[in-house]
């Protein structure tokens, strides 16, 4: 079930005293998992996706679109009174950070691509249609109010004037985030979420801040003119003017990041060794796929000079103190030594930490693969030495160095969310403390160990899985299915290539790729590090455009991975374009064509398309602002695309003739 149990989350000054307890018990739980499940083998390739949606109010009288925070009962209903609808349709809804958000998954995982009658796309569509039907009950045609469920990566005016559908939302203070722009009403009502928000801020000793490059047009001001002085909270309200940078959009709350949506997929590997190989193989796909899936051109009512959400979330949940980030505190007087509010004992052991707990993958997991070499892990990755030692030296289930190091890195973080009722857990049956740290290390991939129940004979209990997390969510089920299936095929090819394909390149190059993926239109304008070949012992790379990375004959993704998987399936003889003439798998041709055309620049990314819509809108003043009217029209446009409505020609503009006509003639 998708609802969180109630409980009493501890405020930071109490939670911080339990940091070591959570870590050391979490590691014992992990060791019990390895002891129980380390020898599992031959698990099937089960997999599933997670899609995140926003509930949005469209007010035709005011010509305004707002995030809808007053109908979060829809999520409760989907898990209680209306749950039968979910069960009948093999879908499930979970809470998300935003009160206006819904997360939805299939109820049971898919197995391979056995969906010839029913495509994954059908399951995705039922999720949106069912949520939308429940939300639409609140429509008030007489007042011009309509509610829609959309998969927008970022709500473009989040944090701007009249962006939320509560009239007097600023008649009281927002004590959890203390943001100048986001009232606490954007946050899910479950106590976990506001507490996490406050705890991250308190640990840092200052509000989070993100300075996102502003798109520069002829009338764009030289700084974010929406930053203002307020005196509700000392010192947080004094930080903003100091923290905001000229030429940048200034964001100061967790909601700016965790209030955005993404698409994630989880794939089960046959055993732990193959899960490690799969993880390592997907590492450099993450920045590449982030670039191709770009869908976020605007934040807080400003056009950004980037197309993706990623670094916004990184900053939004960054609990590191100024000392750990190796920067001066914004207000040294209030944040002495940059130590935030960690305990006196913790201060003695603080280290410099280069990255937020939400960031690109840190380490290859290695294993027995003949191509792996520890030197590929060539970046500065701090670890928890005590955890490392315990994982290496114990009588429960000792780990090898590379795997131990991965967890020893995750376990440098403090827990920012502890429930009083969960402090004491049984190591042999609970993974609560392990998951506390694991699930708040939000990296581009997640290596998901099973539970202690996953002994080799328990095939129905999930085994070793790898989650792919960088993707921006797309408006239509067609696109989201296309992305999940594309990576699924890569996964099939990888699992078939142990010791024959060499996925390794220096980790520092992957980190650089992540920065490159943040450039505006990186899909067209930039070059990324990519392997010159996957068929040799070495880790040589060169710089390639996204088009080359996908389409090169020698080392491109289509040739090396997609065609390989499709040939093995007997769907094609040599190249994926043969699927165009297939009677049974034609839809897959269009999934792959979408990705191919976006990678080559024949079709715009969602971000590019929405940016063009904004800059050519009649209300646009060449000042980089996304006005209420532009935003309203953008949401209407998004709603038409979502519903494959071509009445105004949007579908053709967005997908091109070929894909649009296929979709119109072959509706699911
Ligand atoms: P999280 O939020 O922790 O990433 P969720 O439970 O929201 O995880 O989603 C995980 C996804 O994994 C869902 O799509 C689910 O269907 C899928 N899944 C469930 N069991 C398995 C399994 N054994 N192997 C792979 N994927 C699975
Ligand atoms: Mg989830
Ligand atoms: Mg879950
Ligand atoms: Mg989610
Ligand atoms: Mg509706
Ligand atoms: Mg997930």
């Amino acid at each position: 079930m998708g609802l969180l149990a109630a409980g009493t989350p501890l405020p930071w000054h109490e939670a911080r005293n339990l940091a070591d307890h959570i870590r050391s018990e979490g590691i014992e739980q992990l060791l019990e998992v390895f002891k129980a499940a380390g020898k599992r083998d031959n698990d099937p390739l089960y997999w599933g996706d997670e899609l995140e949606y926003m509930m949005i109010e469209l007010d035709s009288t005011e010509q305004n679109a707002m995030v809808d925070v007053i109908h979060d009962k829809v999520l409760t209903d989907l898990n209680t009174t209306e749950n039968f609808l979910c069960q009948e349709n093999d879908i499930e809804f979970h809470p998300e950070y935003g009160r206006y958000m819904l997360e939805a998954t299939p109820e049971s995982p898919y197995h391979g691509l056995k969906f010839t009658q029913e495509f994954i796309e059908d399951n995705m569509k039922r999720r949106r249609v069912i949520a939308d039907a429940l939300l639409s009950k609140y429509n008030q045609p007489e007042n011009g109010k309509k509610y829609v469920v959309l998969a927008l990566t970022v709500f473009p005016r989040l944090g701007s004037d009249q962006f939320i559908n509560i009239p007097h939302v600023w008649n009281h203070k927002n004590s959890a985030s203390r943001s100048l722009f986001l009232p606490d009403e954007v946050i899910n009502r479950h106590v976990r979420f506001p507490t996490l928000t406050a705890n991250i801020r308190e640990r840092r000793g200052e509000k989070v801040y993100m300075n996102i490059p502003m798109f520069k047009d002829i009338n764009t001001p030289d700084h974010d003119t929406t930053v203002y002085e307020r005196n509700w909270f000392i010192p947080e309200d004094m930080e903003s003017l100091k923290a905001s940078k000229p030429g940048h959009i200034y964001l100061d709350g967790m909601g700016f990041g965790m209030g955005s949506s993404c698409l994630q997929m989880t794939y089960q590997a046959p055993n732990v060794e193959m899960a490690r190989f799969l993880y390592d193989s997907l590492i450099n796909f993450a920045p590449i796929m982030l670039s191709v899936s770009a869908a976020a051109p605007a934040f807080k009512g400003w056009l950004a000079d980037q197309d993706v959400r990623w670094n916004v979330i990184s900053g939004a949940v960054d609990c590191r103190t100024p000392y750990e980030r190796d920067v001066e505190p914004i207000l040294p007087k209030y944040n002495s030594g940059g130590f935030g509010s960690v305990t006196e004992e913790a201060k003695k052991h603080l280290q410099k930490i280069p990255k937020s707990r939400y960031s690109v993958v840190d380490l290859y997991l290695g294993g027995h693969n003949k191509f792996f070499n520890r030197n590929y892990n060539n970046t500065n990755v701090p670890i928890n030495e005590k955890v490392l030692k315990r994982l290496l030296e114990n009588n429960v289930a000792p780990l090898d160095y590379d795997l131990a190091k991965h967890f020893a890195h995750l376990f440098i973080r403090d827990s920012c969310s502890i429930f009083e009722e969960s402090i004491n857990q049984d190591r042999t049956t609970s993974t609560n403390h392990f998951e506390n740290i694991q699930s708040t290390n939000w990296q581009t991939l997640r290596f998901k160990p099973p539970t202690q129940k996953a002994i080799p004979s328990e095939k129905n209990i999930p085994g070793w899985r790898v989650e792919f997390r960088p993707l921006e969510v797309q408006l239509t089920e067609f696109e989201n299915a296309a992305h999940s299936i594309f990576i699924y095929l890569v996964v099939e090819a990888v699992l078939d290539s142990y010791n024959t394909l060499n996925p390794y390149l220096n980790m520092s190059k992957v980190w650089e790729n992540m920065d490159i993926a943040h450039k505006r239109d990186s899909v067209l304008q930039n070059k990324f590090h990519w392997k010159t070949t996957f068929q040799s012992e070495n880790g040589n790379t060169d710089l390639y455009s996204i088009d080359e990375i996908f389409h090169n004959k020698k080392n491109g993704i289509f040739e090396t991975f997609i065609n390989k998987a499709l040939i093995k399936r007997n769907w094609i003889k040599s190249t994926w374009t043969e699927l165009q003439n297939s009677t049974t798998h034609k839809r897959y041709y269009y999934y792959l064509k979408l990705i191919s055309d976006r990678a080559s620049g024949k079709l715009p990314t969602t971000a590019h398309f929405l940016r063009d819509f904004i800059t050519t809108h009649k209300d646009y003043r060449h000042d980089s602002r996304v006005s209420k009217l532009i935003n309203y029209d953008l949401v209407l446009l998004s709603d038409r695309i979502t519903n494959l409505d071509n009445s105004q020609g949007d579908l053709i503009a967005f997908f091109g003739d070929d894909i649009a006509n296929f979709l119109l003639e072959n509706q699911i």
Side-chain angles (χ1 to χ4, degrees), residues 204-261:
R204 283 168 66 94
E206 54 191 40
K207 278 192 297 186
V208 295
Y209 61 89
M210 295 76 83
N211 282 297
I212 302 305
M214 191 183 283
F215 175 73
K216 190 113 189 75
D217 205 338
I218 45 177
N219 298 325
T220 305
D222 65 0
H223 68 284
D224 182 341
T225 50
T226 58
V227 185
Y228 67 100
E229 277 192 83
R230 184 176 75 176
N231 59 1
W232 288 358
F233 301 107
I234 304 299
E236 289 84 0
D237 283 351
M238 294 153 67
E239 290 163 9
S240 299
L241 287 170
K242 287 210 158 64
S244 61
K245 279 194 347 200
H248 290 74
I249 308 161
Y250 168 74
L251 308 171
D252 66 345
M254 184 165 168
F256 283 111
M258 283 298 178
S260 54
S261 297

Side-chain angles (χ1 to χ4, degrees), residues 595-666:
I595 310 275
S596 170
D597 285 356
R598 285 206 177 141
S600 68
K602 280 185 205 140
L603 286 179
T605 60
T606 309
H608 188 106
F609 184 79
L610 295 179
R611 179 185 299 280
D612 280 354
F613 178 81
I614 293 167
T615 56
T616 55
H617 191 281
K618 62 180 188 310
D619 203 40
Y620 181 65
R621 311 277 155 81
H622 294 280
D623 54 0
S624 307
R625 305 267 20 214
V626 183
S627 67
K628 263 170 42 182
L629 181 62
I630 299 176
N631 186 59
Y632 176 68
D633 286 339
L634 182 146
V635 173
L636 287 178
L637 164 78
S638 302
D639 190 41
R640 286 194 300 275
I641 291 178
T642 301
N643 288 293
L644 306 184
D645 168 358
N646 194 42
S647 59
Q648 302 193 29
D650 309 305
L651 216 55
I652 303 260
F654 188 54
F655 284 132
D657 285 318
D658 203 7
I659 295 179
N661 287 328
F662 174 79
L663 288 178
L664 289 168
E665 285 158 24
N666 298 276

Side-chain angles (χ1 to χ4, degrees), residues 520-533:
R520 175 164 52 88
D521 266 335
S522 63
V523 71
L524 304 176
Q525 305 294 344
N526 294 93
K527 295 201 165 185
F528 292 75
H529 301 288
W530 189 251
K531 296 204 64 166
T532 51
T533 169

